[in-house]
Amino acid sequence: MTTALPRLGAGTVAAKPPAETGLVHLGLGNFHRAHQAVHTAAALAHTEGPWGILGVASRSAGVARALREQDMRYAVVEISPEHTEVTVPSVHTGALVAAAQPDEVLDALAAPGTAVITMTVTEHGYTFSPRTHGLDFDAPAVRSDLRGDAPPRTTIGQIVRGLQRRQRTHATPVTVLSCDNLVANGAQTERLVHEFAQALPAAERDALTPWLERSVTFPNSMVDRIVPATTDVYREAVAARLGVRDAVPVPAEPFSMWVMEDRFAAGRPRWEHGGALFTADVEPYELLKLRLLNGTHSLIAYLGALDGRATVPESIGRPFVAEAARGVLRGEYLPSLTVPDDIDLDAYVGQLFERWANTALGHRTQQVGSDGSVKLRQRVPEPALLHLRAGRMPHRLALTVAAYLCCVAPPEGFSPGPHAAAMVDPARGTLAAIAARAATAPAASGASRAAFVEAVLDSGLLGDGLTEYPSFGGRIAELIDVIVRFGPGAAADEAARAAECEPQPTG
């Protein structure tokens, strides 16, 4: 029984965390602890420095409390069908919960020793408008943060109020590094921070803005590692290999990649010694990952969930899902990007399919499919528009949207299954209301589905550009109809047949 084992902590693991905090990380979830923390630990094993990480959870206190009880230790369980390896990074110097300790969080962001503020808060955590990609000033939490009469609740509000405190006390330069799956995540974060600052009262704005422009940098970055949710399977793996009890281990695949611009205002860990790559242009790597990995991953998850598959490996094991994944990756995503010179495309794609098929990992379709309203906005519109403007219908991108809508806003009388129903999405309520209105429209089912998709696209779910191509919305509606009547396999087959008739991209 694992409960009889000693608790993981300073007395059971020899490695000590750094004595000084140099990084504050917003978003104390599994991804950060299996990615940035691991890279930082590897860097510090090569070259020491004041680069301990203070982790900040947003609202949930469970991980922060467990880390404090375990002397800031936790295990990373790297798993593949052939091998399991358990390590303990030991790089965190503390753990806060922003909802309960807002002033301590602002103090940490403002501390002179904090040289880098990093963040993994998911795409949804940036509170930007889907239409403008600017700060969502209609969001109640943003309005509250701007008033400043209560502790900041949004990530951008926390960062700006922390930077404001920093500027007023000592004005030491600092870097804000987004590690989320956003296109141009550094530039996007910088834009949102400056928009928040510009909306402050004139005296606050005029004091803060020049310092922001002079002393704060926002490098772009790309992160890549598949990190499932923690289950007892991984707690048992830690117990078996280390002989200790860990309440909050994190599972991860063996693969990990981190690419950054080297624009740091006040120094950084030697992450290159921990496997990170520095480049002047992150965008090609970013788009490679956002589209080939993330975009294809979404399609796998939605088709798999609709087919009753609980995990991504189970899903990719279905021939129709694997064929749809290959088709959207090579036929529709790949023509929309430039592959970096140091990437062997065939090896990269082969590695993607190996990662998705990692049965030991068991990445759940409901986890990958959650927050699709934010994720797909980053992945689908630009590639789809590229094909549509060239006179080609991107059938499998339409299938991605159709499968997503069937999962989170299923047509009346259609059950998407338990894995789709478990997906969490901030737009679920809005989409359900649109679907309900479409269902009551006095029209045949096909017409009502077309009206539903048209209303969804008009809502800004995928930005504005796709509304100029009604044929794309019509194709989504047709594929929804096939999914409802005949299942996701039939829809994937229909998209594949139609794709064969499209002109091939050139150049």
Side-chain angles (χ1 to χ4, degrees):
M1 294 286 290
T2 59
T3 53
L5 295 173
R7 188 76 176 261
L8 174 63
T12 55
V13 174
K16 295 182 179 180
E20 299 178 61
T21 297
L23 299 98
V24 174
H25 183 84
L26 305 179
L28 192 57
N30 276 16
F31 186 82
H32 159 68
R33 292 188 294 125
H35 189 272
Q36 295 91 35
V38 170
H39 281 275
T40 301
L44 292 179
H46 187 280
T47 305
E48 293 184 355
W51 298 115
I53 302 172
L54 174 65
V56 180
S58 177
R59 292 176 178 82
S60 176
V63 171
R65 181 173 55 250
L67 288 178
R68 289 193 293 266
E69 291 172 354
Q70 295 178 179
D71 302 315
M72 305 313 301
R73 272 73 166 186
Y74 66 95
V76 176
V77 185
E78 292 188 4
I79 50 177
S80 68
E82 299 81 23
H83 181 65
T84 297
E85 181 178 356
V86 179
T87 59
V88 179
S90 294
V91 291
H92 289 89
T93 56
L96 301 176
V97 180
Q101 301 163 287
D103 207 54
E104 292 178 58
V105 171
L106 297 183
D107 281 344
L109 297 174
T114 299
V116 185
I117 299 166
T118 58
M119 51 205 288
T120 49
V121 295
T122 78
E123 297 95 326
H124 183 55
Y126 289 74
T127 53
F128 60 85
S129 164
R131 286 192 179 276
T132 67
H133 290 268
L135 194 64
D136 185 358
F137 290 105
D138 293 328
V142 172
R143 294 201 299 268
S144 173
D145 288 357
L146 283 168
R147 288 195 303 272
D149 52 8
R153 292 184 289 158
T154 68
T155 301
I156 299 301
Q158 289 165 354
I159 290 172
V160 174
R161 293 303 186 182
L163 293 177
Q164 198 172 33
R165 185 172 296 192
R166 188 181 189 93
Q167 182 267 328
R168 287 170 174 169
T169 53
H170 53 81
T172 303
V174 69
T175 294
V176 178
L177 177 67
S178 169
C179 301
D180 282 300
N181 287 321
L182 292 171
V183 175
N185 56 12
Q188 174 82 324
T189 304
E190 181 175 21
R191 180 165 60 252
L192 297 174
V193 164
H194 279 269
E195 288 178 359
F196 189 104
Q198 289 300 309
L200 292 171
E204 296 182 48
R205 178 195 66 215
D206 293 345
L208 180 61
T209 300
W211 178 79
L212 280 178
E213 294 173 347
R214 182 175 64 251
S215 301
V216 185
T217 58
F218 298 83
N220 289 312
S221 75
M222 184 278 278
V223 296
D224 187 2
R225 193 172 210 187
I226 295 175
V227 181
T230 297
T231 67
D232 285 341
V233 170
Y234 307 113
R235 295 183 180 94
E236 291 164 3
V238 174
R241 285 162 177 80
L242 299 185
V244 296
R245 178 166 49 96
D246 182 2
V248 287
V250 290
E253 63 173 336
F255 179 91
S256 186
M257 188 175 186
W258 196 5
V259 184
M260 289 171 275
E261 292 177 332
D262 203 356
R263 296 193 298 114
F264 289 80
R268 60 168 177 79
R270 303 298 291 176
W271 278 313
E272 58 268 42
H273 296 310
L277 172 66
F278 288 90
T279 179
D281 187 7
V282 172
E283 185 179 45
Y285 298 90
E286 182 179 72
L287 294 180
L288 190 78
K289 192 253 181 172
L290 279 170
R291 295 177 186 173
L292 299 195
L293 171 62
N294 297 135
T296 307
H297 210 186
S298 291
L299 178 58
I300 294 167
Y302 296 129
L303 291 178
L306 293 171
D307 194 49
R309 309 298 157 177
T311 69
V312 168
E314 291 172 3
S315 302
I316 202 70
R318 297 282 284 159
F320 82 87
V321 176
E323 192 283 332
R326 291 189 194 94
V328 76
L329 188 156
R330 288 198 174 271
E332 297 178 15
Y333 280 125
L334 186 56
S336 73
L337 51 83
T338 300
V339 179
D341 291 338
D342 58 352
I343 296 292
D344 181 327
L345 181 63
D346 289 338
Y348 181 82
V349 171
Q351 193 174 45
L352 288 181
F353 278 86
E354 289 176 4
R355 295 167 66 189
W356 291 323
N358 185 344
T359 53
L361 205 60
H363 207 183
R364 303 190 71 80
T365 51
Q366 73 176 67
Q367 181 184 359
V368 178
S370 289
D371 292 329
S373 59
V374 184
K375 293 174 179 177
L376 295 188
R377 187 183 306 135
Q378 300 288 326
R379 302 167 189 177
V380 168
E382 287 192 22
L385 287 168
L386 179 144
H387 292 287
L388 291 166
R389 288 165 181 158
R392 298 184 299 273
M393 175 59 66
H395 295 278
R396 292 184 179 95
L397 291 176
L399 176 66
T400 301
V401 180
Y404 160 72
L405 291 173
C406 283
C407 283
V408 301
E412 186 177 12
F414 173 73
S415 173
H419 309 300
M423 292 176 183
V424 177
D425 197 295
R428 186 182 277 275
T430 300
L431 293 173
I434 295 173
R437 288 195 296 271
T440 60
S445 62
S448 64
R449 283 184 187 126
F452 164 63
V453 174
E454 182 180 1
V456 167
L457 295 181
D458 285 343
S459 75
L461 178 81
L462 297 177
D464 293 329
L466 290 171
T467 59
E468 300 175 14
Y469 295 89
S471 59
F472 185 68
R475 189 62 179 130
I476 294 170
E478 291 169 354
L479 290 168
I480 290 175
D481 192 56
V482 177
I483 291 171
V484 169
R485 296 175 63 193
F486 304 110
D493 290 344
E494 161 61 22
R497 285 193 297 270
E500 291 177 358
C501 301
E502 294 294 330
Q504 296 301 304
T506 58

PDB file of all heavy atoms in Angstrom, residues 346-361:
ATOM      1  N   ASP A 346      10.004  14.336 -42.540  1.00  0.00           N
ATOM      2  CA  ASP A 346       9.533  12.953 -42.472  1.00  0.00           C
ATOM      3  C   ASP A 346       9.765  12.367 -41.082  1.00  0.00           C
ATOM      4  O   ASP A 346       8.895  11.670 -40.531  1.00  0.00           O
ATOM      5  CB  ASP A 346      10.227  12.096 -43.530  1.00  0.00           C
ATOM      6  CG  ASP A 346       9.764  12.428 -44.949  1.00  0.00           C
ATOM      7  OD1 ASP A 346       8.654  12.984 -45.085  1.00  0.00           O
ATOM      8  OD2 ASP A 346      10.515  12.144 -45.895  1.00  0.00           O
ATOM      9  N   ALA A 347      10.923  12.657 -40.505  1.00  0.00           N
ATOM     10  CA  ALA A 347      11.210  12.155 -39.164  1.00  0.00           C
ATOM     11  C   ALA A 347      10.279  12.801 -38.139  1.00  0.00           C
ATOM     12  O   ALA A 347       9.791  12.134 -37.219  1.00  0.00           O
ATOM     13  CB  ALA A 347      12.664  12.429 -38.801  1.00  0.00           C
ATOM     14  N   TYR A 348      10.012  14.104 -38.316  1.00  0.00           N
ATOM     15  CA  TYR A 348       9.140  14.823 -37.389  1.00  0.00           C
ATOM     16  C   TYR A 348       7.728  14.254 -37.424  1.00  0.00           C
ATOM     17  O   TYR A 348       7.119  13.990 -36.382  1.00  0.00           O
ATOM     18  CB  TYR A 348       9.136  16.313 -37.742  1.00  0.00           C
ATOM     19  CG  TYR A 348       8.277  17.168 -36.842  1.00  0.00           C
ATOM     20  CD1 TYR A 348       8.750  17.618 -35.615  1.00  0.00           C
ATOM     21  CD2 TYR A 348       6.991  17.543 -37.226  1.00  0.00           C
ATOM     22  CE1 TYR A 348       7.965  18.406 -34.788  1.00  0.00           C
ATOM     23  CE2 TYR A 348       6.195  18.327 -36.406  1.00  0.00           C
ATOM     24  CZ  TYR A 348       6.686  18.762 -35.191  1.00  0.00           C
ATOM     25  OH  TYR A 348       5.904  19.542 -34.371  1.00  0.00           O
ATOM     26  N   VAL A 349       7.205  14.056 -38.629  1.00  0.00           N
ATOM     27  CA  VAL A 349       5.848  13.517 -38.762  1.00  0.00           C
ATOM     28  C   VAL A 349       5.782  12.093 -38.213  1.00  0.00           C
ATOM     29  O   VAL A 349       4.834  11.722 -37.502  1.00  0.00           O
ATOM     30  CB  VAL A 349       5.380  13.568 -40.224  1.00  0.00           C
ATOM     31  CG1 VAL A 349       4.058  12.820 -40.408  1.00  0.00           C
ATOM     32  CG2 VAL A 349       5.239  15.026 -40.676  1.00  0.00           C
ATOM     33  N   GLY A 350       6.789  11.284 -38.534  1.00  0.00           N
ATOM     34  CA  GLY A 350       6.816   9.934 -38.000  1.00  0.00           C
ATOM     35  C   GLY A 350       6.827   9.938 -36.483  1.00  0.00           C
ATOM     36  O   GLY A 350       6.149   9.116 -35.833  1.00  0.00           O
ATOM     37  N   GLN A 351       7.573  10.880 -35.915  1.00  0.00           N
ATOM     38  CA  GLN A 351       7.638  10.989 -34.461  1.00  0.00           C
ATOM     39  C   GLN A 351       6.284  11.399 -33.875  1.00  0.00           C
ATOM     40  O   GLN A 351       5.884  10.913 -32.809  1.00  0.00           O
ATOM     41  CB  GLN A 351       8.713  12.000 -34.078  1.00  0.00           C
ATOM     42  CG  GLN A 351       9.104  12.004 -32.620  1.00  0.00           C
ATOM     43  CD  GLN A 351      10.286  12.927 -32.360  1.00  0.00           C
ATOM     44  OE1 GLN A 351      10.330  14.050 -32.860  1.00  0.00           O
ATOM     45  NE2 GLN A 351      11.251  12.466 -31.582  1.00  0.00           N
ATOM     46  N   LEU A 352       5.559  12.282 -34.570  1.00  0.00           N
ATOM     47  CA  LEU A 352       4.232  12.676 -34.101  1.00  0.00           C
ATOM     48  C   LEU A 352       3.320  11.469 -33.959  1.00  0.00           C
ATOM     49  O   LEU A 352       2.626  11.302 -32.941  1.00  0.00           O
ATOM     50  CB  LEU A 352       3.602  13.696 -35.058  1.00  0.00           C
ATOM     51  CG  LEU A 352       4.173  15.108 -35.077  1.00  0.00           C
ATOM     52  CD1 LEU A 352       3.402  15.974 -36.068  1.00  0.00           C
ATOM     53  CD2 LEU A 352       4.133  15.735 -33.694  1.00  0.00           C
ATOM     54  N   PHE A 353       3.294  10.627 -34.984  1.00  0.00           N
ATOM     55  CA  PHE A 353       2.411   9.460 -34.924  1.00  0.00           C
ATOM     56  C   PHE A 353       2.848   8.485 -33.844  1.00  0.00           C
ATOM     57  O   PHE A 353       2.009   7.848 -33.203  1.00  0.00           O
ATOM     58  CB  PHE A 353       2.317   8.794 -36.295  1.00  0.00           C
ATOM     59  CG  PHE A 353       1.334   9.472 -37.211  1.00  0.00           C
ATOM     60  CD1 PHE A 353       1.712  10.562 -37.985  1.00  0.00           C
ATOM     61  CD2 PHE A 353       0.024   9.053 -37.269  1.00  0.00           C
ATOM     62  CE1 PHE A 353       0.805  11.211 -38.809  1.00  0.00           C
ATOM     63  CE2 PHE A 353      -0.906   9.693 -38.084  1.00  0.00           C
ATOM     64  CZ  PHE A 353      -0.515  10.770 -38.859  1.00  0.00           C
ATOM     65  N   GLU A 354       4.138   8.380 -33.601  1.00  0.00           N
ATOM     66  CA  GLU A 354       4.623   7.535 -32.503  1.00  0.00           C
ATOM     67  C   GLU A 354       4.167   8.118 -31.158  1.00  0.00           C
ATOM     68  O   GLU A 354       3.777   7.371 -30.246  1.00  0.00           O
ATOM     69  CB  GLU A 354       6.147   7.451 -32.537  1.00  0.00           C
ATOM     70  CG  GLU A 354       6.703   6.631 -33.695  1.00  0.00           C
ATOM     71  CD  GLU A 354       8.221   6.671 -33.736  1.00  0.00           C
ATOM     72  OE1 GLU A 354       8.829   7.276 -32.815  1.00  0.00           O
ATOM     73  OE2 GLU A 354       8.805   6.105 -34.683  1.00  0.00           O
ATOM     74  N   ARG A 355       4.208   9.422 -31.028  1.00  0.00           N
ATOM     75  CA  ARG A 355       3.799  10.066 -29.779  1.00  0.00           C
ATOM     76  C   ARG A 355       2.301   9.876 -29.538  1.00  0.00           C
ATOM     77  O   ARG A 355       1.882   9.569 -28.422  1.00  0.00           O
ATOM     78  CB  ARG A 355       4.150  11.554 -29.823  1.00  0.00           C
ATOM     79  CG  ARG A 355       5.653  11.820 -29.875  1.00  0.00           C
ATOM     80  CD  ARG A 355       5.958  13.265 -30.238  1.00  0.00           C
ATOM     81  NE  ARG A 355       5.521  14.185 -29.196  1.00  0.00           N
ATOM     82  CZ  ARG A 355       5.507  15.504 -29.346  1.00  0.00           C
ATOM     83  NH1 ARG A 355       5.884  16.052 -30.498  1.00  0.00           N
ATOM     84  NH2 ARG A 355       5.108  16.276 -28.358  1.00  0.00           N
ATOM     85  N   TRP A 356       1.504  10.068 -30.580  1.00  0.00           N
ATOM     86  CA  TRP A 356       0.060   9.880 -30.418  1.00  0.00           C
ATOM     87  C   TRP A 356      -0.303   8.435 -30.094  1.00  0.00           C
ATOM     88  O   TRP A 356      -1.294   8.176 -29.423  1.00  0.00           O
ATOM     89  CB  TRP A 356      -0.666  10.318 -31.697  1.00  0.00           C
ATOM     90  CG  TRP A 356      -0.616  11.792 -31.937  1.00  0.00           C
ATOM     91  CD1 TRP A 356      -0.680  12.781 -31.003  1.00  0.00           C
ATOM     92  CD2 TRP A 356      -0.488  12.452 -33.199  1.00  0.00           C
ATOM     93  NE1 TRP A 356      -0.600  14.021 -31.613  1.00  0.00           N
ATOM     94  CE2 TRP A 356      -0.484  13.851 -32.957  1.00  0.00           C
ATOM     95  CE3 TRP A 356      -0.392  12.009 -34.518  1.00  0.00           C
ATOM     96  CZ2 TRP A 356      -0.389  14.786 -33.972  1.00  0.00           C
ATOM     97  CZ3 TRP A 356      -0.290  12.945 -35.540  1.00  0.00           C
ATOM     98  CH2 TRP A 356      -0.286  14.323 -35.270  1.00  0.00           C
ATOM     99  N   ALA A 357       0.514   7.506 -30.566  1.00  0.00           N
ATOM    100  CA  ALA A 357       0.226   6.083 -30.358  1.00  0.00           C
ATOM    101  C   ALA A 357       0.837   5.542 -29.065  1.00  0.00           C
ATOM    102  O   ALA A 357       0.766   4.332 -28.824  1.00  0.00           O
ATOM    103  CB  ALA A 357       0.753   5.281 -31.550  1.00  0.00           C
ATOM    104  N   ASN A 358       1.394   6.409 -28.235  1.00  0.00           N
ATOM    105  CA  ASN A 358       2.034   5.979 -26.994  1.00  0.00           C
ATOM    106  C   ASN A 358       0.967   5.454 -26.032  1.00  0.00           C
ATOM    107  O   ASN A 358       0.357   6.199 -25.263  1.00  0.00           O
ATOM    108  CB  ASN A 358       2.803   7.149 -26.368  1.00  0.00           C
ATOM    109  CG  ASN A 358       3.591   6.758 -25.131  1.00  0.00           C
ATOM    110  OD1 ASN A 358       3.365   5.710 -24.538  1.00  0.00           O
ATOM    111  ND2 ASN A 358       4.518   7.618 -24.741  1.00  0.00           N
ATOM    112  N   THR A 359       0.734   4.158 -26.065  1.00  0.00           N
ATOM    113  CA  THR A 359      -0.325   3.557 -25.257  1.00  0.00           C
ATOM    114  C   THR A 359      -0.031   3.635 -23.763  1.00  0.00           C
ATOM    115  O   THR A 359      -0.951   3.591 -22.946  1.00  0.00           O
ATOM    116  CB  THR A 359      -0.525   2.087 -25.654  1.00  0.00           C
ATOM    117  OG1 THR A 359       0.748   1.413 -25.581  1.00  0.00           O
ATOM    118  CG2 THR A 359      -1.075   1.972 -27.063  1.00  0.00           C
ATOM    119  N   ALA A 360       1.221   3.755 -23.405  1.00  0.00           N
ATOM    120  CA  ALA A 360       1.550   3.871 -21.983  1.00  0.00           C
ATOM    121  C   ALA A 360       1.097   5.213 -21.418  1.00  0.00           C
ATOM    122  O   ALA A 360       0.826   5.337 -20.219  1.00  0.00           O
ATOM    123  CB  ALA A 360       3.054   3.703 -21.788  1.00  0.00           C
ATOM    124  N   LEU A 361       1.010   6.227 -22.277  1.00  0.00           N
ATOM    125  CA  LEU A 361       0.665   7.565 -21.829  1.00  0.00           C
ATOM    126  C   LEU A 361      -0.842   7.720 -21.616  1.00  0.00           C
ATOM    127  O   LEU A 361      -1.289   8.287 -20.623  1.00  0.00           O
ATOM    128  CB  LEU A 361       1.173   8.587 -22.848  1.00  0.00           C
ATOM    129  CG  LEU A 361       1.453   9.996 -22.357  1.00  0.00           C
ATOM    130  CD1 LEU A 361       2.508  10.000 -21.278  1.00  0.00           C
ATOM    131  CD2 LEU A 361       1.903  10.863 -23.521  1.00  0.00           C
TER     132      LEU A 361
END
